[in-house]
Amino acid sequence: NNIHCHSHSVNLYFHFRICMMKNSTTILTYIKSRITPLLVADRRKPNLTGLHPGRRFNSTTAANPSVHDQDIDFPGGNVKFVPHMRFLSESTQERIPCYRVLDDNGDTILGTQSVQVSEDVAVKMYNNMVALQTMDTIFYEAQRQGRISFYVTANGEEAINIASAAALSMDDVIFPQYREQGVLLWRGFTLQDFANQCFSNKFDNGKGRQMPAHYGSNKHNYVTVASTIATQIPHAVGAAYSLKMDKKDACAITYFGDGGSSEGDFHAGLNFAAVMEAPVIFICRNNGWAISTPTSDQFRSDGVVVKGQAYGVRSIRVDGNDALAIYSAVQAARQMAVSEKRPILIEALTYRAGHHSTSDDSTKYRPAKEIDWWRSTRDPVARFRKWIERNGWWNDIAESELRNSLRQQLLQTIQVAESAEKPPLADMFTDVYDLSPSNLLEQEKWLKETVKKHPHEYPTNIPM
């Protein structure tokens, strides 16, 4: 099961994860096609440094004496000797600064550097931010009415969702956590698509087999959401390395919260991306709370941005409630990731203005006044609206029409999604094996017979 071909073994592993091949014959053929030219190339062109070709940092040979006796020619670069003992400080007095374009009142900060945004793009961004905000409100209410079982809102983080999506290419592959529905909205996933997934009807891409709000769409290059924290991070790195191998003009993007940076997958993912120089963008939504755990109980470092630097990943801290700052930073990050074949980490400072999910009451662990202050003072949607209004691109009439229209659309989509049939019972047993094994066929037969025998115990809107 293990393929040993120097660093190419990792290369192949991640490529297999993305290809999702179905049978062993195809896999073996693929292995042979990929590994043979690599072995031939290795025989022709030995790697004398022991490093992957194209490394930015050349190694030195430790056996050679240093020219200066104050230096050690350690593999990876010379390191200076010093006569005094000095420990690195556990923290700095001054925190890493945060990039910002708009102040809390929506005014452009004098002398700021940002990407120019056209009227069409700015208005579309605002429309999507309002649509995301409205959808979250109505779907949250639907859950409270018992019409769906679960929901996760992006309240307070609309700018990170929409502005980052606007700065990316449709060819870029998204590996979300579970609070990035705005990214999928920007890419063309309709309000009806969202409702179908939450109600798990026959039009749901996931065929009713995922939790509500765990979206996925192959058409929109949006990998299906998983509840497990940070598992999407190494997946994104593998996908990015595959894009690099195939010389694609694209990158992978993965989103996660501050809690995700406490998981091993975060550290493994950043280190692997740095070493293999994978074109991936890590976007951390540092909203202060990992469910009920504050950042002060997670780490003592200066947030997440310094962890990227420690792993050799170019990093930046951005105001996550400033749509223009996010748009500018992500667009610049994408350009570097794709053209320079390198990973980038963006720490977006924001605040989760809603509960973690419909299963949470955040007032139990944080002051309600704190939540209200962020909603009223630093709401990213209101801030961006002030900016487009000052540009003459928006007004109160357009605002009223947009919100009324969205509410009517969403109420209609919920009615349609709720009345639609559920996926066929047979879909529970498909999409895993090319040919279903006997035990799975027996289970399917048993279940159908049980439903026929006790029809009153099962919903009537699920076809056999």
Side-chain angles (χ1 to χ4, degrees):
N1 292 331
N2 295 322
I3 303 169
H4 296 285
C5 183
H6 307 297
S7 62
H8 302 305
S9 60
V10 181
N11 167 342
L12 290 169
Y13 170 72
F14 280 108
H15 214 72
F16 296 153
R17 296 291 296 270
I18 297 164
C19 291
M20 300 176 66
M21 297 176 177
K22 284 191 173 181
N23 58 66
S24 58
T25 303
T26 305
I27 293 175
L28 290 172
T29 303
Y30 182 78
I31 290 175
K32 186 176 180 181
S33 68
R34 298 291 293 190
I35 203 169
T36 301
L38 294 175
L39 291 171
V40 172
D42 279 352
R43 295 191 197 104
R44 289 198 310 260
K45 189 177 178 181
N47 185 1
L48 300 178
T49 64
L51 296 176
H52 190 283
R55 283 286 170 263
R56 287 190 179 83
F57 306 105
N58 293 325
S59 175
T60 60
T61 305
N64 294 336
S66 175
V67 177
H68 306 288
D69 58 4
Q70 285 80 22
D71 296 357
I72 178 174
D73 50 345
F74 189 79
N78 285 349
V79 178
K80 289 186 178 298
F81 285 120
V82 292
H84 53 276
M85 181 165 50
R86 179 187 175 191
F87 290 90
L88 294 176
S89 173
E90 72 279 7
S91 62
T92 58
Q93 292 182 349
E94 184 176 351
R95 300 192 68 181
I96 299 295
C98 184
Y99 170 62
R100 195 184 215 192
V101 177
L102 301 178
D103 63 18
D104 288 342
N105 198 40
D107 291 318
T108 305
I109 298 171
L110 187 64
T112 187
Q113 296 177 335
S114 63
V115 176
Q116 293 297 315
V117 183
S118 67
E119 178 180 353
D120 290 343
V121 172
V123 171
K124 182 182 177 182
M125 285 171 60
Y126 182 70
N127 273 264
N128 276 255
M129 290 170 73
V130 174
L132 174 59
Q133 194 177 63
T134 307
M135 181 178 74
D136 280 350
T137 300
I138 291 179
F139 283 12
Y140 189 92
E141 292 171 353
Q143 192 280 335
R144 286 294 184 251
Q145 296 167 1
R147 300 168 79 175
I148 57 178
S149 60
F150 179 82
Y151 194 71
V152 179
T153 70
N155 292 338
E157 301 177 24
E158 294 89 352
I160 298 174
N161 269 249
I162 302 302
S164 65
L168 298 171
S169 165
M170 285 296 292
D171 292 330
D172 300 330
V173 187
I174 307 295
F175 288 80
Q177 191 180 24
Y178 42 59
R179 214 179 296 279
E180 283 77 41
Q181 54 265 39
V183 179
L184 192 51
L185 178 69
W186 177 270
R187 292 194 158 205
F189 206 69
T190 67
L191 297 177
Q192 190 64 63
D193 291 332
F194 284 108
N196 291 338
Q197 198 282 329
C198 287
F199 281 89
S200 300
N201 62 33
K202 67 179 183 180
F203 302 110
D204 169 25
N205 285 343
K207 301 183 179 181
R209 299 181 296 205
Q210 265 284 4
M211 287 177 61
H214 283 41
Y215 314 104
S217 175
N218 186 53
K219 174 184 175 182
H220 299 95
N221 268 340
Y222 191 93
V223 178
T224 304
V225 172
S227 288
T228 44
I229 302 299
T231 54
Q232 73 277 10
I233 297 177
H235 296 166
V237 178
Y241 192 53
S242 176
L243 292 170
K244 175 182 175 179
M245 287 171 56
D246 293 338
K247 295 180 171 50
K248 299 290 187 181
D249 185 24
C251 64
I253 303 92
T254 183
Y255 297 79
F256 52 95
D258 45 280
S261 70
S262 296
E263 295 287 339
D265 281 341
F266 165 81
H267 299 276
L270 258 70
N271 189 57
F272 193 91
V275 172
M276 303 308 293
E277 298 177 346
V280 55
I281 303 174
F282 303 98
I283 300 181
C284 175
R285 299 174 287 94
N286 187 348
N287 59 28
W289 296 90
I291 307 182
S292 60
T293 304
T295 54
S296 59
D297 287 349
Q298 291 188 70
F299 43 72
R300 288 291 184 269
S301 62
D302 180 11
V304 178
V305 65
V306 293
K307 299 180 182 181
Q309 185 181 45
Y311 281 112
V313 175
R314 187 174 291 175
S315 307
I316 186 173
R317 174 173 282 163
V318 182
D319 182 351
N321 287 18
D322 180 352
L324 289 187
I326 291 291
Y327 180 81
S328 298
V330 174
Q331 189 173 104
R334 185 191 183 277
Q335 193 277 329
M336 289 185 287
V338 174
S339 64
E340 300 176 27
K341 297 296 183 288
R342 66 162 68 243
I344 306 290
L345 170 65
I346 298 175
E347 180 189 23
L349 298 185
T350 182
Y351 188 83
R352 196 189 73 223
H355 303 302
H356 181 264
S357 71
T358 50
S359 303
D360 173 50
D361 179 3
S362 60
T363 60
K364 299 296 183 183
Y365 52 81
R366 60 181 184 175
K369 289 184 178 180
E370 178 181 293
I371 302 172
D372 293 338
W373 182 82
W374 277 89
R375 283 177 173 169
S376 60
T377 307
R378 291 190 172 173
D379 175 41
V381 182
R383 186 193 299 188
F384 195 59
R385 177 188 172 183
K386 291 175 182 177
W387 182 75
I388 61 173
E389 282 182 333
R390 288 194 182 94
N391 287 327
W393 299 341
W394 200 252
N395 54 49
D396 289 342
I397 296 175
E399 180 76 12
S400 178
E401 290 177 350
L402 174 63
R403 290 190 178 272
N404 289 335
S405 173
L406 283 168
R407 185 168 183 82
Q408 292 302 317
Q409 288 181 56
L410 283 160
L411 292 176
Q412 177 65 24
T413 59
I414 284 179
Q415 290 178 1
V416 172
E418 196 171 29
S419 60
E421 283 186 341
K422 298 298 183 184
L425 204 62
D427 281 358
M428 291 178 62
F429 304 92
T430 60
D431 299 335
V432 176
Y433 299 97
D434 186 21
L435 296 175
S436 295
S438 58
N439 64 318
L440 204 59
L441 294 173
E442 290 173 5
Q443 290 176 31
E444 181 179 4
K445 180 182 177 182
W446 175 85
L447 179 58
K448 289 181 177 179
E449 290 175 351
T450 303
V451 173
K452 288 180 180 179
K453 188 180 296 184
H454 307 283
H456 57 285
E457 299 288 345
Y458 295 90
T460 59
N461 61 344
I462 300 181
M464 297 293 285

